[in-house]
Amino acid sequence: MNENRLVAVLAMVVLVPSALWALRDFREGKARLLLFSRARSKVETSLADNPRKFWGYSAFNLAVCLTLGALCVMLFFKPVE
């Protein structure tokens, strides 16, 4: 396994649990930003309290997951030089 694939696999190991936590929070009607540590981040919003902030946080989390997922796929399939 070359270095690119190793980095892609390690990034997916971090991305998959984060995406699952974000999905669980979304289904429960609450949202926290994935950018910061979930254990220490007290910045949280719910759909009932502030819908605009909830959808903003959810869109940001989706953008982070899609961007990292695309980068992982590109790194995994990058040709060896």
Side-chain angles (χ1 to χ4, degrees), residues 1 8 12-13 22 24 32 45 55 61 66 68 70 74:
M1 181 178 289
M12 289 299 283
V13 166
R24 185 193 66 201
R32 279 190 275 187
T45 187
W55 288 111
N61 289 342
L66 290 177
L68 289 178
M74 287 189 289

Side-chain angles (χ1 to χ4, degrees), residues 6-22:
L6 181 63
V7 170
V9 168
L10 291 175
M12 289 299 283
V13 166
V14 172
L15 176 65
V16 170
S18 298
L20 292 175
W21 283 325

Side-chain angles (χ1 to χ4, degrees), residues 14-44:
V14 172
L15 176 65
V16 170
S18 298
L20 292 175
W21 283 325
L23 181 63
R24 185 193 66 201
D25 284 349
F26 179 78
R27 288 183 176 176
E28 292 174 357
K30 61 182 181 179
R32 279 190 275 187
L33 290 179
L34 284 178
L35 190 61
F36 306 109
S37 170
R38 294 179 59 84
R40 291 179 282 167
S41 177
K42 302 300 180 200
V43 179
E44 183 178 306

